[in-house]
Amino acid sequence: MADRTLIRNAQCVLPEGIQKHDVLIEDDKILGIDPPKTASVDETVDAEGRHLLPGAIDDQVHFRDPGLTHKEDLHTGSVACAKGGITTFLEMPNTNPTTTSLEALDAKLELAAGKCVVNFGFYIGATPENLDVLKAAERTPGIKIFIGSSTGNLLVDGQDALEKIFAETTLPICAHCEDEATVRANRERLNGGTSIHDHSKIRDHEAAIISTRRAVDLSTRHQHPFHVLHVSTAQEAEFLKDRPSWVTAEACPHHLFFNVDDYDRLGSRVQMNPSIKTAEDNRALWNALRDGVIEVIATDHAPHTLEEKDRPYPESPSGLPAVENSMALMLDAVNRGQCTLEQVVSWMCAAPARIWKIANKGAIREGFDADLVLVDLSRRETIRDENQLTKSKWSPWNGVELTGWPVRTWVLGKTVFQDGKVDATIRGREAIFRKKS
């Protein structure tokens, strides 16, 4: 027997704007918008005064599973997603072992099916030697290239290898763009760096823009769909204004909300790759988002334990957790007039679904998956380390009060988050990626 939920009186953020509607869910699908009053339902949710959004899609997370699960794992990371209104994540290949073979990809998909409370997908990682794997992979949104520092065999910096990947594969490509030669030269000049402030001098503006230009040139010449991950500089934002239509880009909350002035206060808690930059870069990224130059907001959620982060620089690792709070950060920005709710839905829901060709997600539409988030734009909460569901149990936004929070999350029609609690028994499923052209 079908399970039906009616969400009544919601301010729905639709592609055509914000409109008040009733939304009927049947099993895992959106059955109808404004269904007949006589429709039978099992549960009615009164959403008066609240907004209904499509579930967010985070296209860049690191959940450390397998191999580094003391930091995070697929279950705890997905639980944090559910609390944060993220109903689908796409995870990166730098686990242990790396996701650089079809066998490793299949194993990770099988692992996720038993552990994740939200939907999932996994990139296939590029190496200098696995071109045949990249050409054969199917159950993946695309190829991830580290054009800059990485671990193990994931660094692909040689021009011949990059040319072959862009020329001979068909899956969309995304890349971490920091020029390895520039990073190494800066590190040598600074004798390895001794202060956390040196991190942004080592991984500087030049390292980012040189690598982004190189990758976009490859994409342009080979007419290959390409997504620039975590844009961090004003120079990149300006350069991307003239990119071809098949090149897209994203920004992350830490590059929008933090800059080098925050090192004195937060230290290695805001140490990231690419590094945080300046207040001028913050402003440029916001403008690029509002102007459509940058289409996506993703977190690059990359947790470490506080014990690891508290090591003296440069022993401290780069990365911070964010899936739990990214939507609330953006809802707070809506309340402060930095953007509109429709823009947030475009950046966090519609655009990633479109770019990665994820079937039946990213919009409130009849027949689409019932991945939905009810948000209260007037709700005020303060982020606290002790309340974080991520295994790392900390946030760089600890102590920050935000206005606007997810209050209920549905994954495939089932309530996975409500009243501050996540139902750990819910299971998401493998995202389906439409055939790439």
Side-chain angles (χ1 to χ4, degrees), residues 93-169:
N94 55 330
T95 48
N96 185 16
T98 56
T99 317
T100 51
S101 69
L102 299 183
E103 293 78 14
L105 177 60
D106 289 344
K108 193 180 279 191
L109 287 164
E110 183 177 354
L111 186 66
K115 298 178 75 169
C116 290
V117 303
V118 301
N119 308 304
F120 49 87
F122 299 99
Y123 296 95
I124 190 80
T127 78
E129 292 86 26
N130 73 338
L131 183 62
D132 288 344
V133 172
L134 305 182
K135 292 163 73 171
E138 293 182 345
R139 297 170 65 191
T140 178
I143 298 164
K144 167 67 181 288
I145 308 178
F146 288 86
I147 309 177
S149 294
S150 185
T151 55
N153 62 345
L154 283 168
L155 174 63
V156 185
D157 198 44
Q159 191 66 22
D160 287 347
L162 289 170
E163 292 282 357
K164 288 179 180 178
I165 293 170
F166 275 87
E168 298 182 31
T169 65

Side-chain angles (χ1 to χ4, degrees), residues 59 141 172 227 248-249 295-296 350-358 436:
D59 77 1
H227 187 64
T248 54
E295 297 98 326
V296 171
R354 181 185 70 251
I355 289 167
W356 299 110
K357 294 182 168 61
I358 306 174
K436 311 300 189 288

Side-chain angles (χ1 to χ4, degrees), residues 9 45 48-50 110 115 130 192 202 216 224 233 243 248 270 281 306 336 416 432 435:
N9 304 315
V45 177
E48 186 70 45
R50 295 174 173 179
E110 183 177 354
K115 298 178 75 169
N130 73 338
I202 292 169
V216 171
H224 196 123
T233 69
R243 69 204 164 175
T248 54
V270 289
D281 294 296
L306 277 179
R336 288 186 285 105
V416 67
I432 303 301
K435 187 176 180 180

